[in-house]
């Protein structure tokens, strides 16, 4: 493993970087190339100088990612904490860059007296990840508040896009680039609504307390593994199969929340993936429901 700073680029390029360092499950083999851009322009320069055939993946805080044990071929780009611009424009719009953690967006907006983004407080990812996933919690979702997004494409070309260019659903976002040149989010413009800062901060506290009552905290996980099927809860179906506490190696269905899989210590990505498949199969057999993974599974196994 080695890290270099090339003279043309301002960021840091690492080789064979273990993805277990960058995923909340703490598993995942090496990325061939792992780039930490200095800013948006630098990220565009990195994309421009890549060979045409190099696969590229953008990640945030890896809180919705299962990276398989043999890792990721090509380049993984991580702007978390690096693309960190945060600017309230005319008291009406928040322009925030993709690497800013959701929790910071929620707290800063509340402190500035804006309401609507409190639900982001408990989502342990970045703005980029929240845009890609249409992350949501406690009745709030990311995209209804998005006015525009800034993206970079595979050739490092910048685009400013309207929210209505995207087809957005439950944990699903399809962009106008789908099936064409790949694009990644580098910033979002959120519409802000004036609120009461004290109330928003209180609401954040309540939402975080709710979470820690229901979800396993402080153990490696990826949050909810499966999307909720229409009109039901994946956790209810899994629990009804008696799968709470069920293990494959050191991957375990959480005793506290059946839609969470936790890494008890030295789990491999293969253990987790096997457990995901086993749980889905049991739910299919016992309830006739096909659960779909919310977690993105990537890389070579
Ligand atoms: C304890 C826990 C609780 C959670 N609770 C919730 C919850 O309440 N609600 C919820 O919705 N999710 C929840 N999650 C899941 C996760 O936090 C969200 O999906 C989050 O939005 C992922 O953000 P990330 O930055 O970590 O993205 P990553 O996990 O790094 O990436 C997720 C996907 O987004 C893509 N992506 C990331 N950044 C970009 C970008 N800049 N441009 C384009 N694509 C990009 C990646 O390629 C990948 O496909 C939880 C996770 C954990 C661990």
């Amino acid at each position: 493993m080695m890290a270099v700073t090339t003279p043309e680029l301002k960021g840091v390029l690492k080789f064979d970087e273990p993805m277990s360092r960058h995923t909340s499950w703490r598993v995942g083999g090496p990325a061939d190339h792992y780039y930490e851009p200095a800013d948006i322009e630098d990220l565009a320069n990195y994309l421009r100088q890549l060979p045409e055939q190099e696969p590229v993946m953008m990640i945030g805080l890896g809180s919705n990612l299962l990276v398989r044990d043999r890792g990721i071929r090509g380049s993984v780009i991580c702007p978390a904490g690096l693309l960190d611009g945060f600017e309230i424009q005319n008291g009406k719009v928040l322009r925030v860059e993709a690497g800013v953690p959701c929790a910071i967006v929620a707290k800063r907006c509340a402190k500035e007296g804006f309401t609507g983004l409190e639900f982001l407080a408990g989502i342990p990812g970045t703005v980029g990840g929240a845009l890609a996933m249409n992350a949501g919690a406690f009745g709030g979702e990311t995209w209804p508040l998005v006015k525009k997004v800034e993206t970079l494409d595979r050739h490092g070309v910048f685009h400013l896009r309207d929210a209505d260019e995207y087809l957005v659903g439950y944990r699903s976002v399809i962009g106008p680039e789908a099936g064409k040149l790949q694009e990644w989010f580098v910033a979002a413009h959120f519409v802000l609504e004036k609120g009461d800062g004290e109330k928003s901060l209180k609401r954040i506290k309540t939402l975080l307390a709710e979470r820690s009552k229901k979800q396993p905290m402080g153990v490696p996980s990826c949050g909810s593994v499966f999307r909720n099927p229409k009109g039901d809860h994946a956790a209810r179906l899994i629990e009804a199969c008696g799968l709470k506490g069920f293990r494959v190696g050191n991957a375990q269905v959480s005793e506290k929340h059946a839609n969470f899989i936790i890494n008890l210590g030295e789990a491999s990505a293969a253990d987790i993936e096997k457990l995901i498949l086993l749980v889905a199969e049991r739910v299919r057999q016992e309830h006739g429901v096909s659960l779909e993974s919310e977690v993105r599974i990537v890389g070579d196994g």
Side-chain angles (χ1 to χ4, degrees), residues 2-23:
M2 105 183 156
V4 292
T5 309
T6 70
E8 310 79 35
L9 295 168
K10 292 189 284 168
V12 177
L13 178 61
K14 297 176 180 174
F15 297 93
D16 296 325
E17 174 70 1
M19 289 301 296
S20 52
R21 294 186 183 162
H22 306 285
T23 58

Side-chain angles (χ1 to χ4, degrees), residues 22 24 57-65 79 98 102 122-138 171 183-186 211 215-217 219 221-224 260 294 296 298:
H22 306 285
S24 58
M57 181 177 180
M58 184 91 80
I59 66 162
L61 284 164
S63 63
N64 203 44
L65 267 189
C102 292
I123 297 176
T126 57
V127 166
L131 289 171
M133 296 302 308
N134 189 25
F138 299 106
R171 305 292 176 269
E183 278 180 33
W184 299 276
F185 300 109
V186 293
R211 252 175 209 278
Q215 301 178 356
M217 308 298 284
V219 279
S221 83
C222 241
S224 293
F260 276 51
E294 176 174 325
R296 303 270 173 98
V298 298

Side-chain angles (χ1 to χ4, degrees), residues 1 30 99 101 109-110 120 124 174 184 192 214 219 241 243 248 251 268 283:
M1 207 185 330
C109 286
L120 285 176
I174 300 168
W184 299 276
L192 292 174
K214 292 187 184 149
V219 279
C241 292
L243 286 170
V248 171
S268 62
V283 169

Side-chain angles (χ1 to χ4, degrees), residues 178-210:
K180 299 184 224 148
L181 203 58
Q182 266 180 300
E183 278 180 33
W184 299 276
F185 300 109
V186 293
H189 299 211
F190 288 104
V191 183
L192 292 174
E193 194 188 321
K194 270 266 166 231
D196 173 336
E198 284 293 306
K199 258 196 196 159
S200 294
L201 288 169
K202 247 195 206 153
R203 170 136 177 86
I204 288 175
K205 246 187 161 173
T206 312
L207 295 184
L208 293 178
E210 277 291 295

